[in-house]
Amino acid sequence: MPRLMAALYDSVLGVAERRGLARWRAEVLAPLHGRVLEIGAGTGLNLPYYPRTVTELVLAEPDRHMRARLARQAAVAPVPVTISDAPASPLPFADASFDGVVMTLVLCTIADVPGALGEARRILRRGGTLAFLEHVGAEEGSRRLRWQRRMEPLWRPLAGNCHLTRRTVDEIRAAQFTVRLVRSDDLPGLLRLGSPVVRGIATPSAGGG
């Protein structure tokens, strides 16, 4: 299954990329600078959108099938790239060693979300940025959320433990981040089952940790 997921991943997301995801990726990555870590980099769909203000990019991807595809994309990246097989938690990097951390379409699959966000906070320098883009559960009481809850037990084993109903912005705040900006949009058509998609930036809260 992991090999198949890696092979199909870009094709499956193709419609979503054309309908908004690509533009949202560029938007959320634009403020980044300095040394940046992307957690769960997948096949490298973010790579074309990193600004040249990023001086070093570390791509962490534990799945070897995804990592093989990521390596091919990294060869033509617009910024210097290093690839790591590190999981989301624990991260093998020193405290306060990155200016930015990126998480896109990965917090839906991670088993220990608080642990992953805690690690992201640990490695960020003072004033560092967490850039995120994630699909989340629909509004409480909505028909879409009821469908997401019905479909999630079937969807998770087919989609690499992807959850449809997580409250990711709340999780980010609970991990002692201050969310500075958040935007939410729906994907069109059948993709609405994985909507809304939230994107934004957050910084470690003062006095936490």
Side-chain angles (χ1 to χ4, degrees), residues 19 33 82 103 106 121 130 142 183 186 197:
R19 299 290 185 89
H33 63 88
T82 302
M103 291 178 156
V106 66
R121 191 183 190 286
L130 171 66
S142 66
R183 292 177 178 155
D186 283 349
V197 174

Side-chain angles (χ1 to χ4, degrees), residues 15-34:
V15 173
E17 295 293 330
R18 293 190 293 273
R19 299 290 185 89
L21 272 182
R23 174 166 42 86
W24 301 340
R25 289 179 193 274
E27 178 185 318
V28 80
L29 298 177
L32 296 172
H33 63 88

Side-chain angles (χ1 to χ4, degrees), residues 61-205:
E61 176 49 60
D63 182 88
R64 64 187 179 91
H65 304 294
M66 290 282 195
R67 205 163 55 245
R69 293 175 179 272
L70 178 62
R72 292 196 286 272
Q73 294 299 319
V76 294
V79 297
V81 170
T82 302
I83 295 177
S84 166
D85 63 358
S89 177
L91 290 169
F93 306 110
D95 295 359
S97 55
F98 287 88
D99 301 292
V101 172
V102 175
M103 291 178 156
T104 63
L105 302 182
V106 66
L107 287 169
C108 59
T109 65
I110 291 172
D112 181 10
V113 173
L117 289 169
E119 281 290 271
R121 191 183 190 286
R122 177 183 67 80
I123 66 169
L124 276 172
R125 293 172 179 147
R126 183 183 294 272
T129 297
L130 171 66
F132 63 91
L133 185 156
E134 301 285 343
H135 69 88
V136 297
E139 184 179 355
E140 284 294 340
S142 66
R143 182 180 180 185
R144 192 191 312 175
L145 181 60
R146 291 195 293 272
W147 272 106
Q148 287 174 331
R149 285 172 172 159
R150 290 188 190 109
M151 293 297 296
E152 190 168 78
L154 302 173
W155 177 251
R156 283 175 56 193
L158 295 174
N161 198 43
C162 176
H163 293 68
L164 296 171
T165 60
R166 283 187 168 168
R167 299 295 183 204
T168 301
V169 177
D170 292 341
E171 294 268 19
I172 292 170
R173 291 191 174 109
Q176 299 181 320
F177 282 92
T178 298
V179 178
R180 302 291 186 187
L181 170 70
V182 63
R183 292 177 178 155
S184 176
D185 289 281
D186 283 349
L187 291 168
L190 294 175
L191 297 171
R192 282 172 59 84
L193 185 64
S195 294
V197 174
V198 295
R199 64 196 185 277
I201 58 172
T203 54
S205 303

